[in-house]
Amino acid sequence: MEKLRIGLIGLGTVGTGVYKSLKDFDNIEIVKIAVKNINKPRSIEISQNILTDNPYEIVNDSSIDVVVELIGGVEPAWSYIKTAIENGKHIVTANKELLAKKGEELFNLSEKHNRVVLYEAAIAGGIPIIMPIKTILAGNKISKIQAILNGTTNYILTKMDTDGASYEDVLKEAQALGYAETDPTGDVEGFDAAYKITTLGTIAFNSRIKFENVYREGITKIRKEDMKNANELGYKIKLIATATIDENNNSDVRVHPMLVSKKNMLAHIDYVTNAVAMSGHPIGDIVLSGPGAGEFPTASSVIGDILAIAREWKTTDYLLPMMRCHHHKISNPININDTYNKYYLSITAPNAIGVIAKIGTTCANKNVSLANIMQKCATDKNVAEITVITEKCLEKDIKEVIAELDNCQINSLLRVM
């Protein structure tokens, strides 16, 4: 049996899982692996003969059929992948940032050279999502996605909720356990989830989402008091990646914390687990959930892509037509200020007659209707903690409300699912 020859760029956590797992397949052979340091001690036994510190030895090797890129980031990953495609190689990648920022160029290049690019591992780790959308769900018109796509932030928010701890304390714990990076910005500021929803929305809607049009907020301003308030009101706080599209190709794509009703399944997706909820016709509502990161869950998705190529390799001149890029139109982005949402406001105000009335009047004057308002006992400094939930209203109207509540301190403003 002629083996599919693989060149692997990156031997970190996921790369190690891929290497361990692929040894069990007789029709696939990893012939070369690019690493930063050839002499670094590793948790696996591996021949020094297949290691290189020069990825161009892989992408320029005419004997290699598939390049698996697992280093992340735009550069130098893009240069390696571009060269590999131009040299006639198929690509498997887990690089969500590259897909979000260079996806259009990447897929145009791969189609020009009749190569396939697969990226199941780039969106939700071990959860199968891209291939189901392009195959089993291909007959559906998907119009809405709500997802938890980052395990680090979900772990932090879960621990803040269960332990009543502050963001700062839980972040330190997550870093100590290896769930958060030393520099956690990519996760906690929402970049990671934004990269993923950009590509996921593009695939699901069959209309390209531009990353620069994705609205993004992180979790760094969430307080333990917000967690307590949310619970009392029947909600959990989650970092939600959401995308909707209408019949006129207008898209609303964003990442930000949301109060999620405890009646909603996403409210109970805890710790490092990921989940993707989609709505469409004729399927209705569907939820896929599972491990969103880790050595073997992510490696599982990478291996699935490699096997998909292996099954059709040398049987056709046009591999995996259903998995190719078919989204050539660009969606029309809706500005966040023009969206309608329900809102949670945490307000600190003087404990004086008329404060609640002023909040209500200010909201009414700006076309904001209140669904729930709760005041807790005044503190020793004679200030009151007030929690407000609004009905659906325009984003720019709620911002005008906040601007006019000049004697009130706005502690938190969150959207409600």
Side-chain angles (χ1 to χ4, degrees):
M1 179 187 297
E2 189 174 357
K3 294 184 177 183
L4 184 72
R5 292 169 63 85
I6 304 294
L8 182 61
I9 301 177
L11 194 60
T13 300
V14 178
T16 299
V18 171
Y19 178 80
K20 290 177 182 177
S21 301
L22 281 181
K23 291 194 297 183
D24 297 331
F25 292 90
D26 295 332
N27 61 331
I28 296 169
E29 180 182 7
I30 296 179
V31 297
K32 196 166 290 186
I33 303 173
V35 296
K36 284 185 178 180
N37 182 357
I38 292 177
N39 298 315
K40 174 184 174 181
R42 304 185 190 280
S43 61
I44 52 175
E45 290 187 11
I46 189 165
S47 171
Q48 293 289 103
N49 294 331
I50 69 170
L51 297 180
T52 177
D53 57 8
N54 182 8
Y56 283 103
E57 288 186 15
I58 290 176
V59 299
N60 289 322
D61 187 335
S62 59
S63 73
I64 288 176
D65 305 300
V66 177
V67 169
V68 179
E69 180 271 311
L70 299 174
I71 58 174
V74 175
E75 285 293 352
W78 168 239
S79 296
Y80 301 150
I81 288 175
K82 182 175 182 290
T83 303
I85 292 172
E86 291 170 343
N87 286 337
K89 305 183 192 314
H90 301 291
I91 303 295
V92 173
T93 180
N95 195 331
K96 61 259 183 179
E97 183 178 1
L98 178 68
L99 288 164
K101 294 181 176 179
K102 304 284 285 187
E104 184 173 13
E105 189 175 351
L106 170 63
F107 292 116
N108 287 343
L109 180 69
S110 65
E111 200 62 22
K112 176 183 176 182
H113 291 274
N114 189 21
R115 299 296 96 179
V116 66
V117 177
L118 301 183
Y119 46 95
E120 188 68 67
I123 307 302
I127 305 173
I129 187 69
I130 299 302
M131 194 166 286
I133 288 174
K134 284 184 166 285
T135 55
I136 300 300
L137 298 174
N140 284 266
K141 186 174 180 60
I142 297 172
S143 58
K144 184 178 182 180
I145 303 168
Q146 293 178 318
I148 295 171
L149 294 175
N150 183 269
T152 298
T153 52
N154 204 43
Y155 176 86
I156 291 171
L157 291 174
T158 301
K159 290 292 285 184
M160 288 178 66
D161 182 46
T162 58
D163 294 359
S166 69
Y167 165 80
E168 292 79 11
D169 289 343
V170 176
L171 174 60
K172 290 177 182 177
E173 177 188 331
Q175 289 171 322
L177 292 171
Y179 291 137
E181 301 288 344
T182 304
D183 178 3
T185 303
D187 294 316
V188 300
E189 294 293 356
F191 287 100
D192 178 81
Y195 297 145
K196 293 172 179 177
I197 196 64
T198 298
T199 300
L200 182 57
T202 295
I203 302 304
F205 299 155
N206 201 29
S207 182
R208 185 165 296 284
I209 307 296
K210 294 285 190 178
F211 174 71
E212 56 266 27
N213 295 327
V214 176
Y215 179 81
R216 175 191 53 79
E217 287 179 25
I219 66 167
T220 56
K221 296 179 181 179
I222 304 296
R223 308 171 307 143
K224 60 183 179 181
E225 292 85 359
D226 298 320
M227 289 291 184
K228 184 178 179 182
N229 291 340
N231 271 292
E232 291 176 359
L233 292 164
Y235 297 93
K236 297 290 184 180
I237 297 177
K238 298 291 183 181
L239 183 71
I240 300 294
T242 178
T244 59
I245 195 164
D246 65 19
E247 56 201 21
N248 296 316
N249 198 37
N250 300 310
S251 63
D252 175 12
V253 186
R254 37 184 155 131
V255 172
H256 52 64
M258 296 189 79
L259 269 70
V260 182
S261 169
K262 292 179 182 178
K263 297 177 182 178
N264 188 308
M265 186 174 184
L266 291 182
H268 306 286
I269 303 298
D270 290 331
Y271 297 102
V272 295
T273 303
N274 282 195
V276 180
M278 295 184 291
S279 300
H281 180 78
I283 189 66
D285 298 327
I286 183 172
V287 180
L288 300 171
S289 179
E295 177 179 341
F296 287 113
T298 308
S300 169
S301 292
V302 172
I303 293 164
D305 283 343
I306 294 171
L307 292 175
I309 294 172
R311 290 187 192 100
E312 295 196 7
W313 181 57
K314 293 197 172 181
T315 66
T316 175
D317 293 330
Y318 194 76
L319 264 68
L320 298 166
M322 291 191 74
M323 298 305 297
R324 305 275 182 133
C325 172
H326 302 292
H327 34 271
H328 300 295
K329 62 181 178 180
I330 299 175
S331 68
N332 309 312
I334 300 173
N335 188 284
I336 188 69
N337 287 323
D338 297 323
T339 63
Y340 285 85
N341 310 276
K342 293 180 68 175
Y343 295 90
Y344 155 92
L345 287 90
S346 171
I347 303 169
T348 300
N351 185 36
I353 295 173
V355 170
I356 295 291
K358 179 182 178 181
I359 294 172
T361 300
T362 303
C363 288
N365 290 340
K366 297 299 180 182
N367 300 311
V368 175
S369 179
L370 302 185
N372 191 312
I373 187 164
M374 176 176 66
Q375 178 175 335
K376 295 188 176 180
C377 296
T379 67
D380 294 339
K381 296 181 180 180
N382 203 34
V383 295
E385 299 293 333
I386 302 167
T387 303
V388 173
I389 299 287
T390 75
E391 299 287 2
K392 274 196 173 183
C393 61
L394 199 59
E395 174 100 4
K396 60 185 177 184
D397 287 343
I398 198 70
K399 288 181 178 177
E400 290 181 8
V401 167
I402 292 172
E404 289 200 12
L405 293 175
D406 49 6
N407 288 329
C408 300
Q409 176 183 332
I410 308 301
N411 303 314
S412 303
L413 172 67
L414 299 171
R415 296 162 194 86
V416 181
M417 185 181 291

